[in-house]
Amino acid sequence: MPSAPTVKLNNGKEMPLVGFGLWKVDNATCADTVYNAIKSGYRLFDGACDYGNEQEAGEGVARAIKDGLVKREELFLVSKLWNSFHDKERVKPICKKQLADWGIDYFDLYIIHFPVALKYVDPSVRYPPGFFYEDEKVVLSKTTLETTYHAMEELYEEGLARSIGISNYTGTLIMDVERYAKIMPQTLQVEHHPYLVQSDLLDLCKSRGIAVTAYSSFGPQSFIELDMQSAKDTPLLMEHDTIKSIASKHDKTPAQVLLRWATQRNVAVIPKSNNQHRLAQNLDVCSFDLSKEELESISGLDKGLRFNNPLNYGIPIPIFA
């Protein structure tokens, strides 16, 4: 059974370099999917409030532990603070709710999902709340990112989160964080694929000791099913001649090449699949090496093309209440 190597975080914790992403995993199949992924050797699971499937993911984890497939301490479970809970007094309660949904006592990593604070929506009214407050309006909270980050540090100090991180932050925002952080973030999670390489951002994180996790490693693939026009208009990386020729040379799939391009550069990845064979293939992406020239040719596909922009989903520009 393949297993992923780990990367050491700046607090000494070890994080698997390959994990399983829970974005868009259907609620009806999520528990079985997580269970089967654990059976296949996955130890990192990347979830979020906004994915709406944390309870089911926790059921899969609980079943795997009960069946003796894994111990809790062998897993690296990740979740994220949604935008509607950035206010200082909302951070700890929602984190505890998410822990209860998962059926666990702590997150191995808890991340600020977006550097955007939205007006609070009570979970009893709507959960997950999504981007909209009411009447298809996106309403901002006046809470600052600094306030939210200090609340995250409290989770870390209390042991509710054994590592804390940020997501969708720019280099400028990272430099802002280090002005006020008592505890530097352990990780940054961003969209990262050959069409969006973000070399300067990766270099900045390396200089600050912040590990990087890539989401949407296959570029437009993840967004076509969301009916995103910019994704439909972009050639699929899986079918790009550069990727296909390198895959053929190594007797690997294009997906494995795309994942190895990231992991060989010490960027963690969180792909997903419902297919047991592809689950194993995705996990086993550190057993071969790409040449320097191959890495550079893949990076040379960079277009600065970002898909995960709220405006691409038709979400309007936010307002203050």
Side-chain angles (χ1 to χ4, degrees), residues 119-121 126 129-139:
K119 188 171 181 180
Y120 174 68
V121 176
R126 187 174 67 252
F131 269 95
F132 298 107
Y133 180 67
E134 58 184 16
D135 300 327
E136 300 297 301
K137 291 180 181 177
V138 180
V139 182

Side-chain angles (χ1 to χ4, degrees), residues 9 31-32 75 90 105 116 165 168 174-175 224 278 283 291 321:
L9 305 181
D32 288 339
L75 294 172
R90 308 297 184 189
D105 297 325
V116 178
N168 299 302
I174 290 171
M175 289 187 283
I224 290 174
R278 283 198 295 271
L283 187 59
S291 69

Side-chain angles (χ1 to χ4, degrees), residues 169-171 174 188 190-208 210 212 261 265 267 295-306:
Y169 273 51
T170 62
I174 290 171
L188 168 71
V190 289
E191 181 180 345
H192 176 69
H193 45 74
Y195 289 152
L196 185 65
V197 178
Q198 304 195 81
S199 297
D200 291 345
L201 181 62
L202 268 58
D203 289 343
L204 175 65
C205 287
K206 185 176 180 180
S207 73
R208 267 49 177 189
I210 300 172
V212 176
W261 169 76
R265 293 156 50 252
V267 175
L295 291 171
E296 289 175 351
S297 68
I298 296 172
S299 296
L301 302 178
D302 190 19
K303 300 174 181 289
L305 185 56
R306 185 186 310 277

Side-chain angles (χ1 to χ4, degrees), residues 59-77:
E59 290 169 3
V61 166
R63 194 194 316 163
I65 292 174
K66 181 181 178 182
D67 289 354
L69 299 182
V70 71
K71 298 177 181 176
R72 168 64 184 96
E73 56 269 24
E74 295 171 338
L75 294 172
F76 195 95
L77 302 180

Side-chain angles (χ1 to χ4, degrees), residues 173-181 184-185 204 208:
L173 287 176
I174 290 171
M175 289 187 283
D176 190 53
V177 168
E178 66 182 345
R179 291 172 59 217
Y180 52 73
M184 279 294 284
L204 175 65
R208 267 49 177 189

Side-chain angles (χ1 to χ4, degrees), residues 39-112:
K39 201 171 184 179
S40 297
Y42 284 84
R43 295 297 178 260
L44 185 154
F45 291 87
D46 181 83
C49 158
D50 192 50
Y51 302 165
N53 55 14
E54 293 193 290
Q55 187 172 341
E56 292 83 359
E59 290 169 3
V61 166
R63 194 194 316 163
I65 292 174
K66 181 181 178 182
D67 289 354
L69 299 182
V70 71
K71 298 177 181 176
R72 168 64 184 96
E73 56 269 24
E74 295 171 338
L75 294 172
F76 195 95
L77 302 180
V78 183
S79 192
K80 304 179 187 74
L81 175 76
W82 183 243
N83 309 348
S84 308
F85 307 108
H86 275 216
D87 298 348
K88 177 179 172 57
E89 67 275 15
R90 308 297 184 189
V91 174
K92 189 185 299 183
I94 199 61
C95 178
K96 287 185 173 181
K97 171 182 167 39
Q98 291 175 259
L99 287 168
D101 286 345
W102 275 89
I104 57 178
D105 297 325
Y106 64 90
F107 286 120
D108 295 276
L109 174 63
Y110 195 59
I111 298 171
I112 296 175

Side-chain angles (χ1 to χ4, degrees), residues 261-276:
W261 169 76
T263 59
Q264 194 169 327
R265 293 156 50 252
N266 218 36
V267 175
V269 293
I270 46 173
K272 74 172 189 295
S273 177
N274 292 322
N275 180 285
Q276 204 69 25

